[in-house]
Amino acid sequence: MARIIKKKKQDIGLSPDELIFRGEQKTEEILFRVIDFDAQNLTENTTKKVKGLSELQHSDSVTWLNLDGLHNMAVMQEISSVFKFSPLVMAEVLNTDARPRVIEYENCTLISIKMLMLNEKNGKTTVENLSLILTEKLLFSFQEQKGDVFEPVRERIRKQKKRIRTAGTDYLTFALLDIVVDNYLYVLGFLGDKIETLEENLLINPTQNIITEINNYKRELNFLRKNIKPAKEMIFSLAKTDTDFIKENTYIYFKELEDNISQANDATDNYREILSDQLNIYHTTISSKLNDIMRFLTIFSVIFIPLTFIAGIYGTNFEYIPELSYKYSYFIMWGIMLVTAIAMLLFFKNKKWF
């Protein structure tokens, strides 16, 4: 499947509010991870059923419901029914190939963004869709598979960090998005180290393998850019959204997100330029080496042209050739040839042709 554009033939013509999972199943079973907290209290548990979660929406505390796995349509329909979310909301959650976006609904705000995960062993980056449904007291996060990328946020809640324990779902939303954007910077930093190391090798020993590496890095960078650039648009849009679910004093944190995502977006552009420069350096270096080789071969050929001419004259098959019977003719011929070669070398060096 292409990494830039994904569209299945069976998805063409479907209604926007039809609850069909349009992604790729990445886990066998679904799992709810529930964290309910306020300034003094914290409860944390896991469940596989929606039943029993409905009472959380009437609580005065903040509740974070994280769902791992999106392929069970019965669960998705139950979430829509229990929490009174429009089918359009759940349809957007199930469309994992959609661009990052912010959509305001009557009883919630939907935020979707791509999470990038790096495999440091092979240097490959994979993408996962993250959807957030923000309400006054509940925050839903939908992941395609179980992961621990948000564990730092959970630890902050467990350790009773004042800001996150006393703030609402809007600040919790910022904390999750901040993790995603920080991961962008980490992935780009990892790739950037590889690109800068490649530049050092390029100047020392430019080989054909470097072209393959440059093309691989360009392909990977284009993949990252395809996900980071729309995320930047989404975050800038979120920072300007006038919604009841984000308090006025929380917008300052989303402004910080704008700076971080802009840094990530600028990094993709900078590394693309570096790779293009490296490609130019490679071709320039190879051309320079080829010119040196051609200069040497040309000088070598030019020197031997008169020597071949001299040897050709005395190698003809005529019976009578001047000096043919002279005792020292052979040595005189060699002397003339050596003097001619040395004179030409001195001439070329004086002209700085080598």
Side-chain angles (χ1 to χ4, degrees):
M1 180 67 74
R3 300 176 80 194
I4 302 301
I5 296 178
K6 296 181 180 181
K7 185 68 175 180
K8 296 179 181 178
K9 187 175 182 179
Q10 58 267 33
D11 292 342
I12 298 175
L14 289 178
S15 173
D17 60 354
E18 192 164 352
L19 296 186
I20 294 179
F21 180 48
R22 308 184 190 188
E24 177 184 350
Q25 183 175 336
K26 297 180 179 179
T27 184
E28 290 297 324
E29 58 182 9
I30 67 166
L31 180 68
F32 279 103
R33 285 182 280 179
V34 184
I35 297 182
D36 185 79
F37 63 92
D38 56 24
Q40 289 79 32
N41 304 304
L42 169 65
T43 58
E44 188 173 354
N45 59 75
T46 59
T47 181
K48 297 180 181 179
K49 298 181 180 180
V50 180
K51 186 178 180 180
L53 298 178
S54 59
E55 59 188 30
L56 294 172
Q57 60 188 323
H58 305 298
S59 172
D60 292 331
S61 56
V62 173
T63 304
W64 174 18
L65 296 166
N66 185 90
L67 178 62
D68 300 320
L70 308 178
H71 56 278
N72 192 318
M73 294 302 97
V75 171
M76 292 299 172
Q77 290 174 347
E78 192 173 359
I79 291 174
S80 178
S81 175
V82 169
F83 296 97
K84 297 180 174 57
F85 293 138
S86 166
L88 284 170
V89 177
M90 302 310 298
E92 286 292 337
V93 171
L94 292 170
N95 186 10
T96 58
D97 295 331
R99 282 171 59 91
R101 64 180 69 188
V102 179
I103 307 177
E104 294 185 61
Y105 294 94
E106 184 178 353
N107 62 340
C108 66
T109 296
L110 173 69
I111 303 167
S112 67
I113 193 171
K114 304 299 182 184
M115 293 195 298
L116 299 177
M117 289 152 289
L118 176 69
N119 186 331
E120 296 187 13
K121 292 182 179 179
N122 58 21
K124 286 291 184 180
T125 306
T126 56
V127 64
E128 178 185 343
N129 192 69
L130 171 69
S131 296
L132 304 175
I133 298 180
L134 173 64
T135 69
E136 185 176 358
K137 291 296 181 180
L138 296 176
L139 175 65
F140 286 83
S141 57
F142 296 88
Q143 295 182 245
E144 295 183 60
Q145 59 187 337
K146 186 177 180 179
D148 58 358
V149 65
F150 295 133
E151 196 60 28
V153 177
R154 295 186 182 95
E155 283 299 314
R156 286 165 61 187
I157 295 173
R158 292 167 188 148
K159 293 179 180 179
Q160 293 188 322
K161 297 296 182 179
K162 182 178 179 181
R163 182 174 296 169
I164 199 166
R165 288 289 291 266
T166 57
T169 54
D170 52 351
Y171 183 82
L172 182 58
T173 300
F174 156 75
L176 299 185
L177 292 176
D178 189 47
I179 291 281
V180 174
V181 175
D182 282 347
N183 210 41
Y184 288 172
L185 295 172
Y186 171 73
V187 172
L188 285 167
F190 182 88
L191 183 62
D193 289 340
K194 299 287 186 181
I195 292 174
E196 291 169 10
T197 302
L198 183 64
E199 187 171 12
E200 296 174 4
N201 296 335
L202 182 63
L203 297 174
I204 297 172
N205 182 30
T207 62
Q208 184 63 35
N209 291 335
I210 288 182
I211 288 290
T212 303
E213 291 187 57
I214 289 176
N215 289 331
N216 288 339
Y217 289 142
K218 287 183 73 174
R219 191 181 304 111
E220 199 68 18
L221 203 57
N222 286 335
F223 173 68
L224 296 179
R225 189 170 183 266
K226 171 250 182 181
N227 292 289
I228 292 176
K229 189 174 181 180
K232 177 185 175 182
E233 297 171 4
M234 184 277 291
I235 288 174
F236 272 70
S237 176
L238 180 61
K240 297 175 182 177
T241 300
D242 184 16
T243 174
D244 295 334
F245 303 117
I246 300 179
K247 302 181 185 68
E248 190 68 32
N249 59 355
T250 308
Y251 277 105
I252 188 172
Y253 300 110
F254 289 101
K255 292 293 183 182
E256 180 183 337
L257 273 183
E258 288 183 344
D259 294 337
N260 291 340
I261 194 66
S262 295
Q263 183 182 352
N265 187 68
D266 292 344
T268 60
D269 292 337
N270 291 338
Y271 285 131
R272 286 183 73 197
E273 292 178 7
I274 289 174
L275 287 172
S276 296
D277 291 342
Q278 287 178 354
L279 201 57
N280 292 334
I281 290 172
Y282 173 82
H283 289 305
T284 301
T285 304
I286 295 299
S287 297
S288 178
K289 284 190 173 185
L290 183 60
N291 289 337
D292 290 341
I293 293 172
M294 293 302 297
R295 185 184 298 115
F296 173 78
L297 293 176
T298 301
I299 291 173
F300 189 80
S301 301
V302 169
I303 291 174
F304 274 87
I305 287 174
L307 304 185
T308 304
F309 174 74
I310 295 171
I313 291 176
Y314 284 91
T316 54
N317 295 322
F318 294 106
E319 184 177 354
Y320 299 104
I321 297 177
E323 298 89 25
L324 189 61
S325 300
Y326 185 61
K327 182 178 180 180
Y328 298 105
S329 293
Y330 177 75
F331 302 104
I332 292 172
M333 183 188 71
W334 268 107
I336 293 172
M337 292 171 70
L338 288 173
V339 169
T340 302
I342 293 171
M344 294 183 72
L345 285 170
L346 291 174
F347 177 76
F348 293 149
K349 187 173 184 180
N350 184 56
K351 290 290 187 179
K352 296 182 179 180
W353 288 353
F354 70 90

